[in-house]
Amino acid sequence: MTQGLPLTLGTEPVGKLLRQYAIPAIIAMTASSLYNMVDRIFIGQGVSALAISGLAVTFPLMNLAAAFGSLVGVGASTLISVKLGQRDYKTAQQILGNVLVLNTIIGVVFMLFALLFLDPILLFFGASEQTIGYARDYMIIILLGNPITHIYLGLNSVLRSAGHPQKAMYATIMTVVLNSILDPLFIFGFKWGIQGAAIATILSQLVALLWQFKLFSNKDELLHFHQGIFHLRRRIVFDSLAIGMAPFMMNLAACFIVILINNGLKSHGGDLAIGAYGIVNSVAFLFVMIVMGLNQGMQPIAGYNYGALQMNRVIGVLRKTIFYATLITTAGFLAGELMPRLIVRIFTPDEALTDLAVYGMRITVMFFPLVGFQMVVSNFFQSIGMAKKAIFLSLTRQVIFLIPFLLILPHFWGITGVWASLPAADFVAFVVAAIMLVSQIRKFKAQYALLTAEK
């Protein structure tokens, strides 16, 4: 199986391969985005409009927690893949133990620090006297469960890198299903309000974590828990953190962006405008995550064929991925422009919040069909080993162009300027990605022509 699989990457039709690799990733990504969306829906329907705003205020803090989680999980899972490829099973086992210990330490330290300064942090992130109570009630429970979250996410990354992507997907789906069952029970049945949503989130992750412990306690598995693997080793810790630094910085940037958006919306539109962004972001994020799953499917196909100098297949899978990604983001555009009120009503019955979210959604998705192209091109450069170009393109849409727009446009157009910053960054990032891709394709064609001539 391990010998035949790479051969299929170079011989099977790229469309068939893309479906084969992308569909499981899309399912996992969709489940992950639904996991975040479920809380917002039940809080909006079962608590209040201001509760949605309070929840939206917590996004930067949760992004920050995710940043520290990815710092360990992404780096360690990459190391495990390498060590398994080298058949260095002893070191791979030690990495597994270090993931558990490191995530526990970072999870506890982050929890204690955030709890100690919770109110100032939330106020800095955009909370007001009206929303800080909701944000505090939610985050206290989420932070108390932060070590569980970190360990669960870390072990899920290890499951993927250890050759069990389906089990990692099952763990994610498990949390979504449990959260969807417990949310209405705790919010409507037990009348626990926004705290009920937080308890449902942590309990769902705890159940998935216990299942992961059972998997890693199986001595028949290549990677499993046993004595001697939990001692922190300097080289493993250093390499894990070094590899995980890129996603850590991306999550950190996302945290900063949400702070800017929240404070801009609060200044020009009030607390409900922050809640409106929480709704709009949830919907947009669903389509973005589907494209990310598609990109995960493209990555091994493009990488293998680039390494094999099969440029026609590289360009073929790129074209198909761009086509499907554009279909997905165009669907998001049509949904956001043609039926925004219907979508927003899923989250809240409040008329004022609905009006704000509908207005924001129509502006935000203005250039959404272009987003799929930009995301695919960024991931494509990563797939063929051009990391600097990939990082630059990843930063253009979310940081390099968005931050200046968020700092400038609201001064001229108020709340409309905050909303307009998002599609403006999307459009400029698309133009830059298109220029870079056209230039790279020309180089590919020149290389391909040279290789053909030599043959």
Side-chain angles (χ1 to χ4, degrees):
M1 180 179 174
T2 54
Q3 291 178 339
L5 187 60
L7 292 176
T8 65
L9 289 172
T11 56
E12 290 278 356
V14 291
K16 178 183 175 182
L17 285 169
L18 185 60
R19 289 190 295 273
Q20 177 185 335
Y21 278 76
I23 289 173
I26 288 172
I27 292 170
M29 287 293 186
T30 305
S32 180
S33 61
L34 289 174
Y35 178 75
N36 295 316
M37 192 179 287
V38 165
D39 274 356
R40 296 164 206 178
I41 291 172
F42 285 114
I43 287 170
Q45 296 291 346
V47 186
S48 70
L50 279 175
I52 283 196
S53 297
L55 182 64
V57 165
T58 68
F59 292 169
L61 189 53
M62 295 180 76
N63 278 340
L64 198 56
F68 281 99
S70 65
L71 187 61
V72 178
V74 173
S77 61
T78 302
L79 280 181
I80 283 179
S81 294
V82 172
K83 294 304 177 185
L84 289 177
Q86 295 172 345
R87 300 182 180 238
D88 184 356
Y89 303 132
K90 180 181 178 182
T91 304
Q93 292 271 26
Q94 291 170 346
I95 295 170
L96 169 62
N98 278 222
V99 166
L100 185 61
V101 176
L102 262 181
N103 272 317
T104 303
I105 293 171
I106 293 176
V108 170
V109 171
F110 186 90
M111 173 191 75
L112 294 174
F113 180 84
L115 285 173
L116 191 61
F117 300 102
L118 186 56
D119 277 16
I121 290 171
L122 292 174
L123 289 169
F124 178 69
F125 288 168
S128 69
E129 290 182 5
Q130 285 71 41
T131 59
I132 194 168
Y134 293 114
R136 186 194 303 115
D137 287 347
Y138 185 80
M139 280 312 301
I140 286 175
I141 293 166
I142 292 294
L143 287 170
L144 288 172
N146 192 59
I148 293 171
T149 305
H150 276 215
I151 299 168
Y152 153 70
L153 292 174
L155 291 183
N156 230 30
S157 295
V158 173
L159 271 177
R160 289 191 196 96
S161 61
H164 299 294
Q166 286 190 327
K167 290 179 180 177
M169 181 182 73
Y170 295 152
T172 305
I173 293 173
M174 187 188 304
T175 58
V176 176
V177 173
L178 283 173
N179 200 31
S180 301
I181 295 170
L182 295 177
D183 260 345
L185 177 65
F186 292 166
I187 294 172
F188 299 108
F190 295 169
K191 308 294 184 185
W192 288 349
I194 198 167
Q195 290 176 316
I199 294 169
T201 296
I202 298 303
L203 278 181
S204 302
Q205 292 176 350
L206 178 60
V207 171
L209 177 60
L210 292 174
W211 182 65
Q212 290 171 335
F213 278 160
K214 182 182 177 184
L215 293 176
F216 283 112
S217 297
N218 183 359
K219 293 181 180 179
D220 294 331
E221 287 289 336
L222 184 61
L223 294 184
H224 61 271
F225 295 137
H226 60 83
Q227 286 185 344
I229 67 170
F230 302 106
H231 175 68
L232 288 180
R233 285 165 171 80
R234 184 181 301 177
R235 174 51 59 184
I236 291 174
V237 171
F238 178 81
D239 288 348
S240 297
L241 298 182
I243 296 170
M245 191 56 66
F248 172 77
M249 295 303 294
M250 289 298 294
N251 276 307
L252 208 60
C255 172
F256 180 65
I257 292 297
V258 177
I259 292 170
L260 279 180
I261 293 172
N262 280 353
N263 281 288
L265 290 172
K266 181 184 172 185
S267 298
H268 298 284
D271 291 324
L272 283 186
I274 295 177
Y277 173 69
I279 293 171
V280 172
N281 189 45
S282 295
V283 177
F285 193 61
L286 175 62
F287 292 96
V288 166
M289 290 293 272
I290 294 172
V291 175
M292 286 175 68
L294 188 64
N295 277 338
Q296 285 187 13
M298 175 192 71
Q299 198 158 357
I301 306 166
Y304 177 89
N305 286 284
Y306 178 74
L309 299 176
Q310 298 194 78
M311 297 303 174
N312 57 333
R313 290 177 62 81
V314 172
I315 295 172
V317 74
L318 173 64
R319 283 175 175 166
K320 286 188 179 295
T321 309
I322 288 173
F323 174 74
Y324 290 131
T326 303
L327 283 182
I328 292 162
T329 51
T330 300
F333 164 78
L334 293 173
E337 294 292 350
L338 300 179
M339 47 183 175
R341 190 165 295 272
L342 185 65
I343 295 170
V344 173
R345 283 298 193 188
I346 297 172
F347 292 85
T348 178
D350 186 89
E351 198 63 41
L353 178 57
T354 299
D355 289 343
L356 282 168
V358 167
Y359 178 73
M361 187 175 293
R362 284 197 163 125
I363 296 174
T364 299
V365 301
M366 192 182 302
F367 293 124
F368 213 56
L370 308 180
V371 171
F373 173 91
Q374 196 275 339
M375 289 180 64
V376 171
V377 173
S378 173
N379 188 265
F380 173 71
F381 280 113
Q382 181 181 328
S383 302
I384 60 175
M386 298 182 180
K388 290 181 180 178
K389 291 182 179 180
I391 292 170
F392 171 72
L393 285 176
S394 296
L395 291 173
T396 53
R397 179 170 167 257
Q398 291 295 330
V399 179
I400 296 171
F401 299 134
L402 183 53
I403 289 177
F405 284 134
L406 284 170
L407 294 174
I408 296 168
L409 296 187
H411 287 293
F412 296 98
W413 298 318
I415 190 172
T416 302
V418 181
W419 290 117
S421 299
L422 298 162
D426 288 343
F427 179 76
V428 181
F430 162 78
V431 172
V432 172
I435 292 170
M436 289 179 65
L437 181 63
V438 169
S439 173
Q440 192 62 52
I441 293 293
R442 284 175 180 166
K443 291 178 183 176
F444 283 161
K445 288 182 177 178
Q447 290 171 354
Y448 188 68
L450 186 62
L451 287 170
T452 306
E454 287 177 354
K455 289 178 181 179

